[in-house]
Amino acid sequence: MLYRHLGKPIFFKMDPEKAHHLVISGLNKSDLVPGGNSAMRLMYGVPETADLAVDLFGQHFPTPVGLAAGLDKNAEAVGGFSSIGFGFMEVGTVTPKGQPGNDSPRLFRLLPDEALINRMGFNNEGADAMARRLKALGKRRIPVAVNIGRNKTTPNESAHEDYRQCIRTLYPYGDFFVVNISSPNTPDLRSLQHGSELSNLLAQVKEEMELQYKQSGISKSLLVKIAPDVSDGELEYMVHTIADAGMDGVIATNTTLSREGLKSDKAGETGGLSGKPLRDRSTEIISRIYRQTGGKLPIIGSGGIFTGQDAYDKIRAGASLVEIYTALIYEGPEVNRRVHAGLRKLLRRDGFSHILEAVGADHH
């Protein structure tokens, strides 16, 4: 209630990107204030429960609800985000070299639709800066995935070099890695999802992960984040290629270019749409991936999750973990407790003793 009645009215009067930076700065400072993160956990933390804790990708997830990439692009607020009830988080998208991203304004609230449009363009400080931050953090409370991309000026034929460089720089510090080839805000990036470009790129990043494993003796998982704006045939090809390349999982989905059914006067802004309008399409993609792979390729579901029911629908469709982003902006950090409580109630209703029993239940 604190966020809804105090924080949100203030933030929503501000420019969306300025509000974003203010939140990241505040969560960063909670790391520096003695007892700051403890106070955050007291207010917003979610206690681990046996029915919702998940072991996957070589990691222990105290809850199945994580923070999607895009909010903490530079790993500035890992301690803060780790203290408000998330079971894991993605940082990034990070590129080898820092870059400013696209021109402002580039982030828009669609209030009637409970959605956001962003055309940020992978604005970040670069892989070296992120590596320094993650190294300084040391031991973390939750798994941190590093979401990697290519620089805007790198042509697609050289994209694999950017992804490999990110892995080389950040391998010691990420708990697992996510190849982002699905942002709509970097020119031609999404074409890496199709044809021989996809198989070639995944072979390269897989090779780099194996090299790092041999050097460090520590194996880490590699996932691919895909777009919702694909045909059935394109999706089938992508999933087949991802599985054949030996990837450890899929994140479904990134933001959408669709504007179907929107009410907001901001609907005409270019960029990727996230939030409630994406919910059903991302769940449909999860369901198709689960069916195609027989549930053998783990899925993290992302897109339009605001409630326990939204999360549960994605889990029953085939997701083992889920992520939120836009709901945190609209609902505040209280959303994690509500989603967690809702999931537990729905599991009990359906007679499941553990969340993994519900994964893909709609197909059985």
Side-chain angles (χ1 to χ4, degrees):
M1 299 299 286
L2 186 66
Y3 178 81
R4 190 173 296 174
H5 294 296
L6 184 62
K8 185 176 177 180
I10 294 170
F11 288 134
F12 274 50
K13 284 176 183 169
M14 299 172 64
D15 170 78
E17 191 168 353
K18 285 180 181 172
H20 172 97
H21 289 309
L22 188 62
V23 169
I24 294 296
S25 175
L27 287 169
N28 173 272
K29 286 180 174 59
S30 73
D31 259 346
L32 307 175
V33 176
N37 284 338
S38 297
M40 298 280 281
R41 285 194 294 276
L42 192 63
M43 286 192 293
Y44 302 118
V46 174
E48 181 173 338
T49 58
D51 54 349
L52 290 189
V54 175
D55 291 305
L56 190 65
F57 307 128
Q59 303 294 323
H60 178 72
F61 299 87
T63 89
V65 182
L67 176 68
L71 267 175
D72 194 359
K73 293 178 179 294
N74 296 303
E76 295 175 90
V78 172
F81 281 120
S82 300
S83 301
I84 59 173
F86 287 110
F88 65 103
M89 66 181 291
E90 285 188 71
V91 293
T93 298
V94 64
T95 53
K97 299 173 186 172
Q99 58 182 28
N102 295 323
D103 294 338
S104 297
R106 53 192 183 178
L107 180 62
F108 307 89
R109 301 185 192 100
L110 284 67
L111 300 180
D113 306 297
E114 293 187 87
L116 299 171
I117 289 175
N118 94 81
R119 50 173 181 262
M120 306 299 285
F122 289 174
N123 55 308
N124 74 104
E125 295 173 6
D128 288 333
M130 180 179 283
R132 286 194 297 273
R133 285 204 181 94
L134 291 176
K135 183 180 181 181
L137 277 173
K139 188 170 172 56
R140 301 185 284 260
R141 298 182 64 84
I142 59 174
V144 175
V146 176
N147 185 297
I148 58 176
R150 71 155 169 84
N151 280 114
K152 183 177 182 178
T153 56
T154 302
N156 274 358
E157 55 266 28
S158 306
H160 64 275
E161 295 171 9
D162 279 14
Y163 288 95
R164 292 188 73 147
Q165 183 58 52
C166 285
I167 292 168
R168 278 194 293 271
T169 303
L170 287 154
Y171 193 86
Y173 311 113
D175 294 311
F176 59 106
F177 289 81
V178 180
V179 176
N180 187 351
I181 48 173
S182 51
S183 169
N185 301 316
T186 295
D188 296 326
L189 185 76
R190 283 190 169 189
S191 65
L192 290 172
Q193 295 181 120
H194 310 298
S196 60
E197 285 190 277
L198 178 60
S199 54
N200 293 340
L201 173 65
L202 296 185
Q204 288 278 347
V205 293
K206 180 71 171 175
E207 182 180 79
E208 189 60 48
M209 290 291 287
E210 288 172 350
L211 278 173
Q212 296 302 317
Y213 167 51
K214 285 176 186 172
Q215 289 173 17
S216 67
I218 301 169
S219 177
K220 298 187 178 183
S221 294
L222 182 65
L223 286 71
V224 180
K225 187 168 189 176
I226 64 172
D229 308 315
V230 290
S231 68
D232 292 350
E234 287 170 337
L235 179 63
E236 186 174 342
Y237 172 83
M238 284 162 54
V239 172
H240 176 78
T241 305
I242 289 166
D244 270 9
M247 298 295 105
D248 298 295
V250 175
I251 298 183
T253 63
N254 212 317
T255 55
T256 182
L257 293 172
S258 170
R259 299 293 187 264
E260 187 177 349
L262 297 183
K263 305 182 187 106
S264 172
D265 58 2
K266 302 278 199 318
E269 295 289 348
T270 58
L273 174 76
S274 63
K276 285 191 176 179
L278 181 56
R279 179 184 60 204
D280 293 344
R281 177 57 178 166
S282 64
T283 303
E284 180 187 353
I285 296 275
I286 291 163
S287 186
R288 288 179 180 275
I289 295 169
Y290 187 91
R291 279 203 306 270
Q292 183 178 335
T293 62
K296 291 180 179 149
L297 186 67
I299 303 164
I300 298 178
S302 182
I305 296 172
F306 278 65
T307 66
Q309 185 67 60
D310 296 336
Y312 193 57
D313 289 345
K314 283 180 167 47
I315 289 160
R316 287 190 61 104
S320 298
L321 301 166
V322 295
E323 292 178 338
I324 64 173
Y325 178 115
T326 306
L328 188 65
I329 309 300
Y330 278 89
E331 302 288 322
E334 297 100 332
V335 71
N336 277 323
R337 282 186 176 169
R338 290 202 296 274
V339 171
H340 191 272
L343 279 173
R344 298 193 77 197
K345 185 177 179 181
L346 291 163
L347 283 179
R348 289 194 298 271
R349 182 199 71 185
D350 291 351
F352 297 123
S353 60
H354 192 272
I355 193 164
L356 292 182
E357 296 171 20
V359 174
D362 285 347
H363 304 276
H364 304 147

